[in-house]
Coordinates of all heavy atoms in Angstrom, one line a residue:
P53 N -142.5 -150.7 89.1 CA -141.8 -149.5 88.6 C -140.5 -149.9 87.9 O -140.0 -149.1 87.0 CB -141.6 -148.6 89.8 CG -141.6 -149.5 91.0 CD -142.6 -150.6 90.6
A54 N -140.0 -151.1 88.2 CA -138.8 -151.5 87.6 C -139.0 -151.7 86.1 O -138.0 -151.8 85.3 CB -138.3 -152.8 88.2
A55 N -140.2 -151.9 85.6 CA -140.5 -152.1 84.2 C -140.2 -150.8 83.4 O -139.9 -150.9 82.2 CB -141.9 -152.5 84.0
I56 N -140.3 -149.7 84.1 CA -140.0 -148.4 83.3 C -138.6 -148.4 82.7 O -138.5 -148.3 81.5 CB -140.3 -147.2 84.2 CG1 -141.8 -147.2 84.6 CG2 -140.0 -145.9 83.5 CD1 -142.2 -146.2 85.7
P57 N -137.6 -148.5 83.5 CA -136.2 -148.5 82.9 C -136.0 -149.8 82.2 O -135.3 -149.9 81.2 CB -135.3 -148.3 84.1 CG -136.0 -148.8 85.3 CD -137.5 -148.4 85.0
G58 N -136.6 -150.9 82.6 CA -136.4 -152.2 82.0 C -136.9 -152.2 80.6 O -136.2 -152.7 79.7
L59 N -138.1 -151.7 80.4 CA -138.7 -151.6 79.0 C -137.9 -150.7 78.1 O -137.6 -151.0 77.0 CB -140.1 -151.3 79.1 CG -141.1 -152.3 79.7 CD1 -142.4 -151.7 80.0 CD2 -141.2 -153.5 78.8
A60 N -137.5 -149.5 78.7 CA -136.8 -148.5 77.9 C -135.4 -149.1 77.5 O -135.0 -149.0 76.3 CB -136.6 -147.2 78.7
V61 N -134.7 -149.7 78.4 CA -133.4 -150.2 78.0 C -133.5 -151.4 77.1 O -132.8 -151.5 76.1 CB -132.6 -150.6 79.3 CG1 -131.3 -151.4 79.0 CG2 -132.2 -149.4 80.1
G62 N -134.5 -152.2 77.3 CA -134.8 -153.4 76.4 C -135.1 -152.9 75.0 O -134.6 -153.5 74.0
C63 N -135.9 -151.8 74.9 CA -136.2 -151.3 73.6 C -135.0 -150.7 72.9 O -134.7 -150.9 71.7 CB -137.3 -150.2 73.7 SG -137.8 -149.5 72.1
L64 N -134.2 -150.0 73.7 CA -132.9 -149.4 73.1 C -132.1 -150.6 72.6 O -131.6 -150.5 71.5 CB -132.2 -148.6 74.2 CG -130.9 -147.9 73.8 CD1 -130.8 -146.6 74.6 CD2 -129.7 -148.8 73.9
L65 N -131.9 -151.6 73.4 CA -131.1 -152.7 72.9 C -131.7 -153.5 71.7 O -131.0 -153.8 70.8 CB -130.9 -153.7 74.1 CG -130.1 -153.2 75.3 CD1 -130.1 -154.2 76.4 CD2 -128.6 -152.9 74.9
G66 N -133.0 -153.6 71.8 CA -133.7 -154.3 70.6 C -133.6 -153.5 69.4 O -133.5 -154.0 68.3
N67 N -133.6 -152.2 69.5 CA -133.6 -151.3 68.3 C -132.2 -151.1 67.8 O -132.0 -150.5 66.7 CB -134.2 -149.9 68.6 CG -135.7 -150.0 68.6 OD1 -136.3 -151.0 68.2 ND2 -136.3 -149.0 69.1
L68 N -131.2 -151.7 68.4 CA -129.8 -151.7 67.8 C -129.8 -152.4 66.5 O -129.0 -152.2 65.7 CB -128.8 -152.3 68.8 CG -128.5 -151.4 70.1 CD1 -127.6 -152.2 71.0 CD2 -127.9 -150.1 69.7
G69 N -130.8 -153.4 66.3 CA -130.8 -154.1 65.1 C -131.8 -153.5 64.1 O -132.0 -154.1 63.0
S70 N -132.3 -152.4 64.3 CA -133.3 -151.7 63.4 C -132.6 -151.2 62.2 O -131.5 -150.6 62.2 CB -134.0 -150.6 64.1 OG -134.8 -149.9 63.2
P71 N -133.3 -151.4 61.0 CA -132.7 -150.8 59.8 C -132.8 -149.2 59.8 O -132.2 -148.6 59.0 CB -133.6 -151.4 58.7 CG -134.8 -151.8 59.4 CD -134.4 -152.2 60.8
Y72 N -133.6 -148.7 60.7 CA -133.8 -147.2 60.8 C -132.7 -146.6 61.7 O -132.6 -145.4 61.8 CB -135.1 -146.9 61.4 CG -136.3 -147.3 60.5 CD1 -137.0 -148.4 60.7 CD2 -136.5 -146.6 59.3 CE1 -138.0 -148.8 59.9 CE2 -137.6 -147.0 58.5 CZ -138.3 -148.1 58.8 OH -139.3 -148.5 57.9
G73 N -131.8 -147.4 62.2 CA -130.6 -146.9 62.9 C -130.9 -146.0 64.1 O -131.8 -146.3 64.9
A74 N -130.1 -144.9 64.2 CA -130.2 -144.0 65.4 C -131.6 -143.5 65.6 O -132.0 -143.3 66.7 CB -129.2 -142.9 65.3
A75 N -132.3 -143.2 64.5 CA -133.7 -142.6 64.6 C -134.6 -143.6 65.4 O -135.3 -143.2 66.3 CB -134.2 -142.3 63.3
D76 N -134.5 -144.9 65.1 CA -135.3 -145.8 65.8 C -134.8 -146.1 67.2 O -135.6 -146.3 68.1 CB -135.3 -147.2 65.1 CG -136.6 -148.0 65.3 OD1 -137.6 -147.4 65.8 OD2 -136.6 -149.2 65.0
I77 N -133.5 -146.0 67.4 CA -133.0 -146.2 68.8 C -133.5 -145.1 69.7 O -134.0 -145.3 70.8 CB -131.4 -146.2 68.8 CG1 -131.0 -147.5 68.0 CG2 -130.9 -146.2 70.2 CD1 -129.5 -147.5 67.7
I78 N -133.5 -143.8 69.2 CA -133.9 -142.7 70.0 C -135.5 -142.6 70.0 O -136.0 -142.6 71.1 CB -133.4 -141.4 69.4 CG1 -131.8 -141.4 69.5 CG2 -134.0 -140.2 70.0 CD1 -131.1 -140.3 68.7
C79 N -136.1 -142.6 68.9 CA -137.6 -142.5 68.9 C -138.3 -143.7 69.5 O -139.3 -143.5 70.3 CB -138.1 -142.3 67.4 SG -137.5 -140.7 66.7
G80 N -137.9 -144.9 69.2 CA -138.5 -146.0 69.7 C -138.4 -146.1 71.3 O -139.3 -146.4 72.0
T81 N -137.2 -145.8 71.7 CA -136.9 -145.8 73.1 C -137.7 -144.7 73.8 O -138.3 -145.0 74.9 CB -135.4 -145.6 73.4 OG1 -134.7 -146.7 72.7 CG2 -135.1 -145.7 74.9
L82 N -137.8 -143.6 73.2 CA -138.6 -142.5 73.8 C -140.1 -142.9 73.9 O -140.7 -142.7 74.9 CB -138.5 -141.2 73.0 CG -139.3 -140.0 73.5 CD1 -138.9 -139.6 74.9 CD2 -139.2 -138.9 72.5
A83 N -140.6 -143.5 72.8 CA -142.0 -143.9 72.8 C -142.2 -144.9 74.0 O -143.2 -144.9 74.7 CB -142.4 -144.5 71.5
T84 N -141.3 -145.9 74.1 CA -141.4 -146.9 75.1 C -141.3 -146.3 76.5 O -142.1 -146.7 77.4 CB -140.4 -148.0 74.9 OG1 -140.6 -148.6 73.6 CG2 -140.5 -149.1 76.0
L85 N -140.4 -145.4 76.7 CA -140.3 -144.8 78.0 C -141.5 -144.0 78.4 O -142.0 -144.1 79.5 CB -139.0 -143.9 78.0 CG -138.8 -143.1 79.3 CD1 -138.6 -144.0 80.5 CD2 -137.6 -142.1 79.1
L86 N -142.0 -143.2 77.5 CA -143.2 -142.4 77.8 C -144.4 -143.3 78.1 O -145.2 -143.1 79.0 CB -143.5 -141.4 76.6 CG -142.5 -140.3 76.4 CD1 -142.8 -139.6 75.1 CD2 -142.5 -139.4 77.6
A87 N -144.5 -144.4 77.3 CA -145.6 -145.3 77.5 C -145.5 -146.0 78.8 O -146.5 -146.1 79.5 CB -145.6 -146.3 76.3
A88 N -144.3 -146.4 79.2 CA -144.1 -147.1 80.5 C -144.5 -146.2 81.6 O -145.1 -146.6 82.6 CB -142.7 -147.6 80.6
L89 N -144.1 -144.9 81.6 CA -144.4 -143.9 82.6 C -145.9 -143.8 82.8 O -146.4 -143.8 83.9 CB -143.7 -142.6 82.3 CG -142.2 -142.6 82.5 CD1 -141.6 -141.3 81.9 CD2 -141.8 -142.6 84.0
C90 N -146.6 -143.6 81.6 CA -148.0 -143.4 81.7 C -148.7 -144.7 82.1 O -149.7 -144.7 82.9 CB -148.6 -143.0 80.3 SG -148.1 -141.3 79.9
S91 N -148.2 -145.9 81.7 CA -148.8 -147.1 82.1 C -148.7 -147.3 83.6 O -149.6 -147.8 84.3 CB -148.1 -148.3 81.4 OG -148.4 -148.2 80.0
Y92 N -147.5 -147.0 84.1 CA -147.3 -147.1 85.6 C -148.2 -146.1 86.3 O -148.8 -146.5 87.3 CB -145.8 -146.8 85.9 CG -145.6 -147.0 87.4 CD1 -145.5 -148.3 88.0 CD2 -145.4 -145.9 88.2 CE1 -145.3 -148.4 89.3 CE2 -145.2 -146.1 89.6 CZ -145.1 -147.3 90.2 OH -144.9 -147.5 91.5
G93 N -148.4 -144.9 85.8 CA -149.2 -143.9 86.4 C -150.7 -144.3 86.4 O -151.4 -143.8 87.3
T94 N -151.1 -145.2 85.5 CA -152.5 -145.6 85.5 C -152.7 -147.0 86.0 O -153.8 -147.6 85.7 CB -153.1 -145.4 84.1 OG1 -152.3 -146.2 83.2 CG2 -153.1 -144.0 83.6
R95 N -151.7 -147.6 86.6 CA -151.7 -149.0 87.0 C -152.9 -149.4 87.9 O -153.3 -150.5 87.9 CB -150.4 -149.3 87.7 CG -150.2 -148.7 89.1 CD -148.8 -148.9 89.6 NE -148.6 -148.2 90.8 CZ -148.4 -146.9 91.0 NH1 -148.4 -146.1 89.9 NH2 -148.2 -146.4 92.2
K96 N -153.5 -148.4 88.7 CA -154.5 -148.8 89.6 C -155.9 -148.8 88.9 O -156.9 -149.2 89.5 CB -154.5 -147.8 90.8 CG -153.3 -148.0 91.6 CD -153.3 -147.1 92.8 CE -152.0 -147.3 93.6 NZ -151.9 -146.5 94.8
I97 N -156.0 -148.3 87.7 CA -157.2 -148.3 86.9 C -157.3 -149.7 86.3 O -156.6 -150.0 85.3 CB -157.3 -147.2 85.9 CG1 -157.1 -145.9 86.5 CG2 -158.6 -147.3 85.1 CD1 -156.9 -144.8 85.5
R98 N -158.2 -150.5 86.8 CA -158.3 -151.9 86.4 C -159.8 -152.3 86.2 O -160.7 -151.8 86.9 CB -157.7 -152.9 87.3 CG -156.2 -152.6 87.4 CD -155.5 -153.5 88.4 NE -154.1 -153.2 88.4 CZ -153.1 -154.0 88.1 NH1 -153.4 -155.2 87.8 NH2 -151.9 -153.7 88.2
I99 N -160.0 -153.2 85.2 CA -161.3 -153.8 85.0 C -161.2 -155.2 85.2 O -160.4 -155.9 84.5 CB -161.8 -153.5 83.5 CG1 -161.8 -152.0 83.3 CG2 -163.1 -154.1 83.2 CD1 -161.9 -151.6 81.8
K100 N -161.8 -155.7 86.2 CA -161.7 -157.1 86.7 C -160.3 -157.5 86.9 O -159.9 -158.6 86.5 CB -162.4 -158.0 85.7 CG -163.9 -157.8 85.6 CD -164.6 -158.8 84.8 CE -166.1 -158.5 84.8 NZ -166.9 -159.6 84.3
G101 N -159.5 -156.6 87.5 CA -158.1 -156.9 87.8 C -157.1 -156.7 86.7 O -156.0 -156.8 86.9
I102 N -157.6 -156.4 85.5 CA -156.7 -156.2 84.4 C -156.5 -154.8 84.1 O -157.4 -154.0 83.9 CB -157.3 -156.9 83.1 CG1 -157.7 -158.4 83.4 CG2 -156.4 -156.8 81.9 CD1 -156.5 -159.2 83.8
P103 N -155.2 -154.4 83.9 CA -154.9 -153.0 83.6 C -155.1 -152.6 82.1 O -154.1 -152.2 81.4 CB -153.4 -152.9 84.0 CG -152.9 -154.2 83.8 CD -154.0 -155.2 84.1
F104 N -156.3 -152.7 81.7 CA -156.6 -152.4 80.3 C -156.2 -151.0 79.9 O -155.7 -150.8 78.8 CB -158.1 -152.5 80.0 CG -158.6 -154.0 79.9 CD1 -159.3 -154.5 81.0 CD2 -158.3 -154.8 78.8 CE1 -159.8 -155.8 80.9 CE2 -158.7 -156.1 78.8 CZ -159.4 -156.6 79.8
V105 N -156.4 -150.0 80.7 CA -156.0 -148.6 80.4 C -154.5 -148.5 80.3 O -154.0 -147.8 79.4 CB -156.5 -147.6 81.5 CG1 -156.0 -146.2 81.3 CG2 -158.0 -147.7 81.6
S106 N -153.7 -149.1 81.1 CA -152.3 -149.1 81.0 C -151.7 -149.6 79.7 O -150.7 -149.1 79.2 CB -151.6 -149.9 82.1 OG -151.9 -149.4 83.4
L107 N -152.5 -150.5 79.1 CA -152.0 -151.1 77.8 C -152.3 -150.2 76.6 O -151.7 -150.4 75.5 CB -152.7 -152.5 77.6 CG -152.2 -153.6 78.5 CD1 -153.1 -154.8 78.4 CD2 -150.8 -154.0 78.0
I108 N -153.1 -149.2 76.8 CA -153.3 -148.3 75.6 C -152.1 -147.4 75.3 O -151.9 -146.9 74.2 CB -154.6 -147.5 75.8 CG1 -155.1 -146.9 74.5 CG2 -154.5 -146.4 76.8 CD1 -155.5 -148.0 73.5
F109 N -151.3 -147.1 76.3 CA -150.2 -146.1 76.2 C -149.2 -146.6 75.2 O -148.7 -145.8 74.4 CB -149.7 -145.6 77.5 CG -150.7 -144.9 78.3 CD1 -151.3 -145.4 79.4 CD2 -151.0 -143.6 77.9 CE1 -152.3 -144.7 80.1 CE2 -152.0 -142.9 78.6 CZ -152.6 -143.4 79.7
P110 N -148.7 -147.8 75.2 CA -147.8 -148.3 74.2 C -148.4 -148.2 72.8 O -147.6 -147.8 71.9 CB -147.5 -149.7 74.6 CG -147.8 -149.8 76.0 CD -149.0 -148.9 76.3
V111 N -149.6 -148.4 72.7 CA -150.3 -148.3 71.4 C -150.2 -146.9 70.9 O -149.8 -146.6 69.8 CB -151.8 -148.8 71.5 CG1 -152.5 -148.6 70.1 CG2 -151.8 -150.3 71.9
L112 N -150.7 -145.9 71.7 CA -150.7 -144.5 71.3 C -149.3 -143.9 71.1 O -149.1 -143.3 70.0 CB -151.4 -143.7 72.4 CG -152.9 -144.1 72.6 CD1 -153.5 -143.3 73.8 CD2 -153.7 -143.8 71.4
F113 N -148.4 -144.1 72.0 CA -147.1 -143.5 71.8 C -146.3 -144.1 70.6 O -145.7 -143.4 69.9 CB -146.3 -143.6 73.1 CG -146.6 -142.6 74.1 CD1 -147.3 -143.0 75.3 CD2 -146.3 -141.3 74.0 CE1 -147.7 -142.0 76.2 CE2 -146.6 -140.3 74.9 CZ -147.3 -140.7 76.1

Side-chain angles (χ1 to χ4, degrees):
I56 298 167
L59 292 166
V61 169
C63 183
L64 185 147
L65 294 172
N67 283 347
L68 291 175
S70 172
Y72 295 103
D76 208 17
I77 293 167
I78 295 165
C79 294
T81 302
L82 177 64
T84 298
L85 176 61
L86 293 172
L89 288 166
C90 291
S91 294
Y92 183 75
T94 58
R95 70 192 177 280
K96 293 183 181 179
I97 303 170
R98 295 178 182 241
I99 301 166
K100 295 188 179 193
I102 304 301
F104 286 106
V105 174
S106 293
L107 286 168
I108 198 65
F109 294 106
V111 175
L112 296 175
F113 281 105

